Amino acid sequence: MENFAIVIHGGAGTILRDSMSPELEKQYKAKLSESVKAGYDILSKGGTALDAVAASIKVLEDSPLFNAGKGSVFNHEGKNEMDASIMDGKTLMAGAVAGARAIRNPIDGARVVMEKSPHVMFSGEGADTFAREQGLKMEEPAYFYDEKRWQQLQQIKDQEKITLDHSSGTPGWVHPKDAEFLHAPDDSIGAGKKFGTVGCAALDKKGNLAAGTSTGGMTNKKWGRVGDSPIIGSGTYANNKTCAVSCTGHGEYFIRNVVAYDVSALMEYKGMTLEQATHEVVMNKLKPQGGEGGLIAIDTKGNIAMPFNTAGMYRACMNKDGKSEVKIYKE
Ligand code: ASP
């Protein structure tokens, strides 16, 4: 049987067993299982890694539990602005949308940019217009609305705060000046942070890798802030020579550290294994800087890594034998 495997995440952060009800935990785990299974079913029938990645991400985008698609967080103006990207490890083709407001499934928006345009990224109205022209399903703002997210915005709207949290309601990170930002001890940036971005990386039976990431970004974000998720090389990267990667966490750090590409580069140029490369980036580079988050990654042999330097990360994976793992906390 040809090798194939898939791995997904639904965001990293201060996800503690004590602050999670058994009912909510069940809901998260069920949705993660549904998502990983959606991609697995495609791969097991000989489908492409790209199709599997898009299918798994769509399940999470359609669920208000995660900060992507339906249930995305609100920006300062009370609007949803969504970012997504996808990359094909075989061709190194990539597509992304940033600040999209009406695409029902932003990962599909990223995919049409990759497949139907000569470009890599469309932003704002242009992203929505292109997706509409390509016949993608569009939605009114009411579709994306989630009461819990709206209340999170009301709590912090009038303060100079932006939260990376999609669900705790705890005002999170106070934007510091860059120097303080780099050296901020964990406590100074608030408790209860969760990064609700979703992502997937897959290896198909033909040996092709793909990765994708989708997010609503950060609550109360202003001025068209764009995180790492739609940035190829930062939030998402795939290369058949090495691995496929999707990240979640404090986007500014992931952009500055070019995280997803760095994992691939450490494998390509330094000969590290997937395990070593992902550990190096998440634990030895991001963590000392205060760059909270994690990533999921898969290599050409179907090895999987899911490191994170936060308390938890929603994650799941499945290999060719149908063996699956669904996890939230540190084990
Ligand atoms: N990385 C995302 C961003 O900074 C947030 C997340 O992972 O939830 O926009």
Side-chain angles (χ1 to χ4, degrees):
M1 194 189 200
E2 301 103 319
N3 199 10
F4 66 94
I6 184 162
V7 56
I8 62 166
H9 71 78
T14 318
I15 307 162
L16 299 166
R17 213 176 241 115
D18 292 353
S19 44
M20 174 87 78
S21 72
E23 181 47 38
L24 193 58
E25 185 175 317
K26 228 166 88 189
Q27 286 177 30
Y28 273 112
K29 285 193 163 169
K31 212 26 103 175
L32 290 167
S33 298
E34 185 187 331
S35 164
V36 80
K37 182 83 175 29
Y40 175 86
D41 287 346
I42 290 173
L43 296 172
S44 68
K45 291 185 193 120
T48 66
L50 271 179
D51 282 344
V53 163
S56 284
I57 288 180
K58 262 154 65 167
V59 169
L60 301 175
E61 284 181 339
D62 290 346
S63 164
L65 286 175
F66 302 93
N67 170 23
K70 187 176 175 62
S72 285
V73 298
F74 289 96
N75 71 4
H76 187 67
E77 287 83 42
K79 302 217 158 84
N80 302 115
E81 285 185 339
M82 298 164 286
D83 302 334
S85 65
I86 193 162
M87 185 162 185
D88 179 357
K90 181 182 173 194
T91 58
L92 302 186
M93 295 291 281
V97 292
R101 289 191 175 169
I103 310 171
R104 183 185 174 104
N105 289 108
I107 196 67
D108 286 345
R111 190 150 180 199
V112 291
V113 172
M114 174 173 77
E115 292 178 342
K116 311 277 188 207
S117 89
H119 307 297
V120 172
M121 187 190 286
F122 286 149
S123 70
E125 261 177 47
D128 287 324
T129 304
F130 184 70
R132 191 173 286 114
E133 271 181 26
Q134 292 300 318
L136 294 192
K137 201 154 196 286
M138 308 301 281
E139 297 289 351
E140 294 299 319
Y143 168 80
F144 300 102
Y145 183 88
D146 181 74
E147 178 63 23
K148 192 171 48 158
R149 307 267 190 260
W150 182 253
Q151 291 310 329
Q152 286 169 359
L153 174 66
Q154 303 319 306
Q155 283 179 27
I156 62 164
K157 198 171 72 181
D158 299 326
Q159 306 161 36
E160 282 303 308
K161 286 179 182 171
I162 46 178
T163 62
L164 294 143
D165 184 347
H166 72 119
S167 65
S168 77
T170 310
W173 175 54
V174 181
H175 199 317
K177 296 266 190 303
D178 210 41
E180 293 160 17
F181 179 77
L182 279 170
H183 301 293
D186 278 355
D187 287 356
S188 71
I189 51 179
K193 283 170 290 144
K194 296 192 191 90
F195 309 91
T197 293
V198 307
C200 177
L203 168 72
D204 66 29
K205 287 184 176 179
K206 293 211 166 94
N208 293 317
L209 291 166
T213 309
S214 181
T215 188
M218 305 194 316
T219 301
N220 205 26
K221 64 186 181 182
K222 294 183 204 166
W223 310 293
R225 180 264 183 189
V226 174
D228 60 310
S229 308
I231 299 180
I232 297 303
S234 292
T236 302
Y237 190 71
N239 187 334
N240 273 7
K241 274 191 192 165
T242 52
C243 61
V245 183
S246 169
C247 302
T248 172
H250 200 149
E252 282 67 15
Y253 291 87
F254 282 70
I255 294 172
R256 290 191 286 235
N257 286 279
V258 205
V259 167
Y261 178 72
D262 199 25
V263 171
S264 171
L266 287 169
M267 293 177 73
E268 186 173 356
Y269 302 131
K270 275 204 153 180
M272 285 190 184
T273 63
L274 185 82
E275 190 63 37
Q276 289 167 339
T278 55
H279 183 87
E280 174 65 17
V281 174
V282 174
M283 303 302 181
N284 299 344
K285 289 193 174 182
L286 287 170
K287 199 173 176 207
Q289 293 174 33
E292 290 179 286
L295 57 82
I296 50 151
I298 187 166
D299 70 11
T300 51
K301 296 190 187 72
N303 294 312
I304 282 170
M306 305 185 279
F308 52 95
N309 61 33
T310 47
M313 181 169 81
Y314 297 106
R315 60 201 189 278
C317 60
M318 230 169 151
N319 69 10
K320 68 174 194 309
D321 306 320
K323 194 172 162 285
S324 68
E325 266 181 31
V326 182
K327 290 182 175 168
I328 300 177
Y329 318 104
K330 268 189 189 137
E331 301 291 321

